[in-house]
Amino acid sequence: MASQLSLIVPFYNEEAAIGHFVKSILPVIDGIAETDWEIVCVDDGSSDATLRELVRLSETDRRFRVLELSRNFGKEAALTAGLDAATGDAVIIIDADLQDPPDVIPRMVQAWREGAEVVLGKRVDRSSDSMLKRKTAAWFYSLHNRLAHIRIPENVGDFRLMDRCVVEALGRLPERQRFMKGLFAWVGFRTVTIDYVRAPRAAGTTKFSGYSLWNFALEGFTSFSSAPIRLWTYLGTIGAFLAILYAIFIVFRTIFWGNSVPGYASLFVAIIFFSSVQIISIGMLGEYIGRIYMETKQRPIYVLRRKY
C-alpha cells in the first residue's frame, strides 16, 4: 500500500524561484516508489506574482495545494499553517530556494520507513553562506544550548521529515509566539540525522535581514529559557555585595584616616553603570512581559484567506 506524504513549502516573494523549485522537486518525489504526494504551498502574503504562479501550478498538477494567508505573518506562522493543513502519514518541510537539496528527500523517506519518527537534515558544509552568518549561527546554537533546557541540534534548520504522530503532537502546543526549531526539539520522538551540503540559493534573495535574525534569536532565547532574566538577579546580587564591601571600606577609611574629599568621577561612573544595568534589566523584563501579553490575547497564529 502506498504511503501518503506531504511536502510543506513556505513562500514569500519567491516568484523567481518557483520554476527552479518545481523542476527540481518533481523528478525526486516521482522517483520514490510506493508514495502518493501532496505539496502544500503556503503563500505568506507575497507582494509579487508568487501566488499567481502557485495557483497556476495547482490548476495543472492536482498534487499542489495552495494556502493563501491574509497577510505576511512570518515563516513560523506559515509553517504552522502548512502543518495544520497537511494530511500525509509523514510531512517534509523544505524551503523554495533549494538551499536544502531535494535529493536528500529519498534518504529521509527511507529512514522513516525503517522506523525513525523524525529525520533531520544537518548542514555539514555551509560555505554557501557568508562568514558572518556562519559565525553568528554558531554563536546562537552554542549560547542557546547553554542557557535553555531544550537543546537544539546545531546546523539543523527547518528541513526535516516528521511522522504523523509528531505533527499531531505539535498541533497540541497552544502558544502563539512560536519558535519552531525549539518546538520541534521539545516534542522529541525517535530521531535520525542525515548530513548534507548546503547549496547556494537557486534564485531570488534572502528575506531575512540582520535585524529579523536578531529578533528570531531573541525569540529562541526567551521562549525556552528564563536564564536571561535570571542573569540580572545574579548581577544585582553581585552589585549589592560589592556595594557592601565598599561601604565597609569607607567606614574603616574614615575611622583611621579621616574623611577625604569625595571623588565625583567615581560617583559618576557608579551611577551610570548601575542605571544602565537597571535599564537593561527592565528591557529584559519587558521582553518576557510582552510575550505574556501577546499570549493572553489568544489571537490565531495566522489567518487563512483562501485555499486553492
Side-chain angles (χ1 to χ4, degrees):
M1 182 177 178
S3 302
Q4 173 73 30
L5 298 180
S6 300
L7 197 66
I8 298 175
V9 195
F11 288 85
Y12 177 61
N13 291 342
E14 295 286 2
E15 174 188 0
I18 293 175
H20 298 282
F21 174 77
V22 173
K23 290 178 182 178
S24 298
I25 203 71
L26 290 184
V28 171
I29 63 176
D30 288 340
I32 302 176
E34 298 181 353
T35 55
D36 294 326
W37 290 87
E38 64 171 0
I39 305 173
V40 182
C41 303
V42 185
D43 177 61
D44 189 23
S46 298
S47 57
D48 61 2
T50 296
L51 179 62
R52 183 173 67 245
E53 291 297 315
L54 292 176
V55 172
R56 183 183 62 80
L57 274 174
S58 70
E59 292 171 346
T60 57
D61 190 331
R62 302 298 294 177
R63 291 174 295 182
F64 283 87
R65 298 173 55 200
V66 181
L67 307 179
E68 180 189 359
L69 303 189
S70 62
R71 63 170 176 83
N72 177 236
F73 285 88
K75 187 178 180 182
E76 311 299 280
L79 290 178
T80 303
L83 289 170
D84 290 344
T87 60
D89 302 318
V91 305
I92 299 172
I93 298 172
I94 189 171
D95 289 336
D97 57 18
L98 297 177
Q99 286 194 281
D100 302 323
D103 57 17
V104 179
I105 292 177
R107 296 160 60 194
M108 289 182 163
V109 174
Q110 182 61 33
W112 170 65
R113 286 174 170 167
E114 292 173 356
E117 293 166 323
V118 178
V119 185
L120 305 177
K122 182 177 182 180
R123 307 156 182 165
V124 293
D125 184 345
R126 300 187 61 169
S127 56
S128 60
D129 294 333
S130 67
M131 177 66 74
L132 179 61
K133 187 172 183 179
R134 294 198 302 270
K135 288 295 184 183
T136 52
W139 293 338
F140 166 75
Y141 285 117
S142 177
L143 185 57
H144 182 279
N145 289 337
R146 286 176 181 270
L147 296 179
H149 303 298
I150 301 298
R151 289 184 59 85
I152 297 177
E154 294 188 21
N155 291 316
V156 172
D158 297 319
F159 185 36
R160 65 189 62 216
L161 179 148
M162 294 179 290
D163 186 82
R164 170 53 51 186
C165 64
V166 182
V167 177
E168 291 176 354
L170 287 167
R172 293 196 294 271
L173 302 181
E175 55 254 56
R176 271 69 177 167
Q177 301 288 107
R178 299 178 77 81
F179 177 64
M180 296 303 291
K181 287 183 178 64
L183 297 181
F184 292 149
W186 186 88
V187 295
F189 293 95
R190 292 192 299 271
T191 302
V192 170
T193 300
I194 294 178
D195 296 341
Y196 71 95
V197 176
R198 187 167 171 83
R201 242 182 178 273
T205 58
T206 179
K207 309 307 183 293
F208 284 98
S209 64
Y211 178 71
S212 61
L213 288 173
W214 162 254
N215 284 333
F216 183 68
L218 191 60
E219 186 75 45
F221 289 132
T222 54
S223 294
F224 286 88
S225 175
S226 59
I229 200 168
R230 194 182 304 125
L231 170 66
W232 302 107
T233 302
Y234 298 146
L235 189 58
T237 302
I238 294 170
F241 179 71
L242 294 176
I244 292 171
L245 291 180
Y246 187 68
I248 293 173
F249 167 73
I250 293 296
V251 169
F252 276 94
R253 190 183 66 176
T254 303
I255 292 174
F256 291 103
W257 293 284
N259 189 19
S260 61
V261 178
Y264 291 102
S266 60
L267 183 62
F268 175 79
V269 170
I271 291 174
I272 292 298
F273 173 75
F274 286 106
S275 297
S276 300
V277 169
Q278 289 175 341
I279 291 171
I280 294 171
S281 62
I282 290 171
M284 187 60 66
L285 281 170
E287 289 290 337
Y288 282 91
I289 293 171
R291 280 155 176 73
I292 295 170
Y293 175 64
M294 295 304 294
E295 290 293 334
T296 58
K297 288 174 179 280
Q298 298 289 296
R299 288 174 179 168
I301 300 168
Y302 59 88
V303 176
L304 189 62
R305 183 173 182 269
R306 188 175 174 185
K307 296 180 182 179
Y308 300 88

